[in-house]
């Protein structure tokens, strides 16, 4: 539903978008190193002179050499290092630079490694919601599929998933357009539970995996719509409070654009997959299949050296950017849905 989400009207919900261009500039995947490469996190007590260490000169020289390589030379070098050779030239350059950066840093410090250092797990969510071919400005989108795909950032694998359909109450009859787009039939939603009951089972699923208690985790979405739009509206319609565990998330479009240095126009799901040399697996606009493919992009970014971290949040119905300087925190332990009354 990713391309369709961009055409959704926002007049029916109190969500205010910050200046997108400004947000993207303030949301680097991590700190910037010589020649545009990302550097490891440093504590506030470390001074900027740390970056004068000879290792950063070596990284800069390696980056300059990689920038001059042809696509065939990049592919040959990646193959020799037993790294993934798929993707467009800029993606392969980033992959090779990240490899050398990690190699050099691991030689000079005890930090580094190939896995995300912020969270133990990343939980990918991509809702499907009721829709019309030309959504009127007063149309209320109701969630009809709640999928979750769980990534282990240490093993770099998809380790689990959750999926349930949801019965819409405001507009219980799905449009022909919605059925065709999502593949969700009227029978599927008629036989499903209403949103609060499904959300409770989501909470149970997260609790069973000890997320937010034993393990640190974060929610990840393809854009801002799922949390700031769909979940926000649905909670109001269902007369329940917005869940605390979903108030901050990783917008993978921002992370992808900043990490690979590409414009926002190149951060749609289909484009991200294509640029990474991946093909969509499953049925487009199936919430679970979309989530799995978003997870594949996140895994490739982690493998290429990106440290995914929360970059958006919702507060009092307003969509806000989370600056890269903010303390890194995992999502809180999930709790049962609470009434707005």
């Amino acid at each position: 539903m990713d391309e369709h989400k961009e055409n959704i009207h926002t007049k029916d919900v109190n969500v205010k978008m910050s200046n997108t261009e400004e947000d993207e500039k303030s949301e680097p995947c991590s700190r910037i190193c010589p020649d545009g490469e990302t550097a490891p996190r440093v504590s506030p007590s470390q001074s900027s002179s740390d970056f004068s260490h000879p290792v950063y000169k070596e990284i800069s020289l390696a980056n300059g050499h990689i920038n001059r390589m042809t696509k065939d030379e990049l592919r040959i070098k990646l193959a020799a290092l037993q790294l993934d050779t798929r993707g467009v030239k800029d993606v392969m350059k980033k992959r090779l630079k990240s490899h050398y950066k990690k190699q050099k840093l691991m030689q000079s410090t005890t930090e580094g490694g190939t896995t995300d250092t912020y969270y133990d797990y990343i939980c990918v969510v991509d809702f499907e919601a009721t829709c019309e071919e030309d959504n009127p400005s007063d149309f209320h989108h109701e969630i009809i599929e709640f999928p979750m795909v769980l990534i282990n950032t240490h093993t770099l694998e998809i380790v689990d998933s959750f999926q349930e359909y949801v019965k819409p109450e405001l507009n219980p009859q799905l449009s022909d357009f919605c059925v065709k787009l999502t593949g969700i039939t009227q029978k599927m939603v008629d036989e499903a539970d209403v949103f609060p009951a499904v959300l409770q089972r989501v909470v149970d699923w997260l609790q069973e995996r000890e997320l937010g208690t034993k393990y640190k985790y974060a929610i990840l979405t393809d854009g801002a719509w799922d949390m700031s739009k769909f979940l926000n509206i649905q909670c109001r319609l269902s007369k329940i409070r917005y869940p605390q565990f979903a108030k901050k998330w990783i917008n993978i479009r921002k992370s992808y654009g900043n990490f690979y240095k590409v414009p926002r126009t190149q951060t749609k799901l289909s484009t991200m997959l294509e640029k990474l040399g991946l093909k969509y697996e499953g049925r487009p606009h199936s919430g679970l299949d979309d989530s799995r493919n978003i997870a594949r992009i996140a895994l490739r970014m982690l493998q290429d050296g990106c440290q995914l971290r929360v970059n958006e949040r919702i507060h009092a119905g307003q969509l806000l950017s989370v600056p890269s300087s903010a303390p890194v925190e995992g999502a809180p332990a999930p709790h049962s849905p609470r009434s707005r009354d």
Side-chain angles (χ1 to χ4, degrees):
M1 200 170 189
D2 58 313
E3 279 80 5
H4 186 64
K5 288 175 184 174
E6 297 196 44
N7 298 320
I8 291 171
H9 294 278
T10 58
K11 294 179 182 178
D12 55 345
V13 65
N14 182 29
V15 174
K16 299 176 183 177
M17 298 293 291
S18 303
N19 182 282
T20 304
E21 191 172 314
E22 183 178 312
D23 288 347
E24 291 182 355
K25 287 180 180 177
S26 65
E27 290 298 328
C29 196
S30 55
R31 294 186 57 152
I32 301 301
C33 200
D35 199 39
E37 273 302 282
T38 53
R41 295 168 63 206
V42 294
S43 66
S45 61
Q46 289 179 288
S47 68
S48 59
S49 62
D50 290 347
F51 293 97
S52 63
H53 191 283
V55 70
Y56 292 105
K57 184 176 181 180
E58 293 179 29
I59 291 171
S60 182
L61 290 171
N63 289 343
H65 176 69
I66 292 168
N67 284 336
R68 293 188 292 272
M69 295 174 74
T70 65
K71 188 173 183 179
D72 287 339
E73 288 172 336
L74 288 166
R75 189 173 284 116
I76 291 169
K77 190 63 178 178
L78 288 167
L81 294 168
Q82 297 185 316
L83 298 174
D84 200 315
T85 59
R86 291 175 293 181
V88 296
K89 184 177 179 181
D90 285 344
V91 166
M92 289 194 290
K93 283 166 59 177
K94 188 71 177 181
R95 186 172 300 140
L96 190 56
K97 288 178 181 180
S98 293
H99 171 80
Y100 279 120
K101 181 190 74 175
K102 290 175 187 174
Q103 190 178 60
K104 293 294 182 183
L105 292 176
M106 288 176 71
Q107 289 172 0
S108 60
T109 72
T110 57
E111 296 179 3
T114 59
T115 61
D116 184 276
T117 56
Y118 298 133
Y119 316 106
D120 298 307
Y121 292 93
I122 290 175
C123 195
V124 181
V125 179
D126 193 78
F127 297 123
E128 295 303 318
T130 55
C131 55
E132 303 284 349
E133 188 164 11
D134 295 307
N135 291 307
S137 59
D138 60 348
F139 186 83
H140 292 287
H141 301 273
E142 297 175 82
I143 293 173
I144 54 175
E145 183 184 358
F146 200 138
M148 295 187 116
V149 171
L150 194 62
I151 294 171
N152 183 319
T153 65
H154 302 294
T155 63
L156 296 181
E157 295 176 311
I158 292 173
V159 293
D160 210 343
S161 64
F162 172 95
Q163 180 200 38
E164 280 206 27
Y165 295 111
V166 184
K167 179 186 291 185
E169 297 183 273
L170 188 63
N171 295 297
Q173 187 69 34
L174 301 182
S175 67
D176 292 340
F177 173 79
C178 186
V179 171
K180 185 176 180 180
L181 179 72
T182 65
I184 299 172
T185 66
Q186 189 64 48
K187 185 173 184 290
M188 289 176 180
V189 296
D190 286 344
E191 294 176 351
D193 277 331
V194 294
F195 183 76
V198 173
L199 180 58
Q200 178 60 61
R201 286 196 285 277
V202 168
V203 168
D204 294 341
W205 186 82
L206 294 169
Q207 288 176 339
E208 287 167 6
R209 283 143 190 82
E210 299 181 276
L211 300 180
T213 51
K214 183 177 180 180
Y215 301 108
K216 197 172 182 179
Y217 78 109
I219 301 295
L220 182 147
T221 63
D222 177 31
W225 315 277
D226 292 276
M227 299 301 159
S228 67
K229 177 74 176 179
F230 293 149
L231 185 57
N232 194 24
I233 292 175
Q234 186 63 62
C235 288
R236 293 184 182 203
L237 294 175
S238 297
K239 297 180 180 179
I240 58 175
R241 294 181 183 275
Y242 190 102
Q244 289 289 327
F245 72 85
K247 286 195 170 183
K248 295 180 181 180
W249 60 90
I250 301 165
N251 179 342
I252 198 170
R253 295 195 179 200
K254 277 188 176 181
S255 300
Y256 179 96
N258 290 320
F259 185 65
Y260 294 114
K261 304 296 186 295
V262 298
R264 188 180 178 186
T265 54
Q266 293 183 27
T267 61
K268 290 183 179 180
L269 176 56
S270 56
T271 307
M272 289 189 288
L273 287 168
E274 180 186 353
K275 296 295 183 182
L276 291 172
L278 303 173
K279 292 184 178 179
Y280 188 96
E281 295 179 355
R283 185 196 189 285
H285 307 300
S286 154
L288 183 59
D289 287 345
D290 280 353
S291 297
R292 288 188 182 278
N293 283 280
I294 295 163
R296 291 170 64 217
I297 293 168
L299 285 170
R300 178 57 55 80
M301 291 177 68
L302 292 173
Q303 290 165 354
D304 283 352
C306 180
Q307 291 185 315
L308 294 168
R309 57 171 291 166
V310 163
N311 53 23
E312 286 184 342
R313 66 188 179 98
I314 189 169
H315 177 70
Q318 184 175 0
L319 175 63
L320 301 171
S321 217
V322 175
S324 58
S325 57
V328 179
E329 299 175 345
H335 296 288
S336 297
R338 293 188 299 161
S339 170
R340 281 181 173 269
D341 301 331

